[in-house]
Amino acid sequence: MSAGPNESKLEFESSTPSDFNTDKENAMYVQLTYFDGPRTAAQLAAHDYAGEHRVADAVKSVPGIVGTHVLRGPDGSDVIVSIGMTEQDLLDAQQAIMATELLPGEDPALLTGPDRVEIREVVYTWDREKEAVR
């Protein structure tokens, strides 16, 4: 398959069973938190404000949380990808978030809970900078 004029040609080595993480002691876990769309501009603003001013601090209080990425669709739907060293770290982050109190001016009617939450074990990663496979 040839790349078009504005596309990069990517080549990947095939994965072998040894590329997959079988070391349970060094396992990582990911939580996928889904907020389905469509969501209004007011809902998105409230969600973003809560995330930046309240939720982020709660998540950062859990030492085993490695990072979080918020992916937003054109309809305002979000998938939040949180990475933890253990499944328990992700559960602790959930509890830390739920233990926070709303900040002055936050409207609970605009802050609906997630539509679904999934926790998965990471079985394969690749890091361009480290060029290492977990």
Side-chain angles (χ1 to χ4, degrees):
M1 176 177 179
S2 64
N6 296 323
E7 299 174 18
S8 297
K9 184 175 180 183
L10 298 177
E11 294 184 20
F12 297 97
E13 293 182 19
S14 63
S15 298
T16 63
S18 63
D19 290 340
F20 289 84
N21 182 29
T22 57
D23 181 2
K24 296 297 182 189
E25 197 169 302
N26 292 312
M28 289 192 321
Y29 292 81
V30 171
Q31 177 176 298
L32 303 171
T33 306
Y34 297 88
F35 292 87
D36 294 340
R39 295 194 297 163
T40 67
Q43 289 173 311
L44 293 175
H47 184 267
D48 292 346
Y49 183 87
E52 183 178 345
H53 297 284
R54 182 170 48 83
V55 174
D57 288 337
V59 171
K60 289 175 187 176
S61 74
V62 180
I65 299 298
V66 175
T68 298
H69 303 275
V70 179
L71 315 175
R72 181 156 294 156
D75 64 349
S77 60
D78 282 346
V79 178
I80 301 172
V81 180
S82 302
I83 305 165
M85 296 308 298
T86 68
E87 185 173 2
Q88 188 61 51
D89 292 330
L90 295 167
L91 296 173
D92 291 347
Q94 288 178 16
Q95 289 180 339
I97 293 166
M98 296 308 294
T100 64
E101 294 187 23
L102 295 180
L103 298 173
E106 284 191 289
D107 182 353
L110 295 173
L111 296 170
T112 59
D115 291 291
R116 61 196 172 284
V117 177
E118 300 173 8
I119 294 178
R120 306 281 178 101
E121 183 179 359
V122 175
V123 296
Y124 179 84
T125 61
W126 175 75
D127 186 322
R128 179 178 302 279
E129 291 182 16
K130 295 178 183 176
E131 293 189 11
V133 176
R134 259 183 72 90

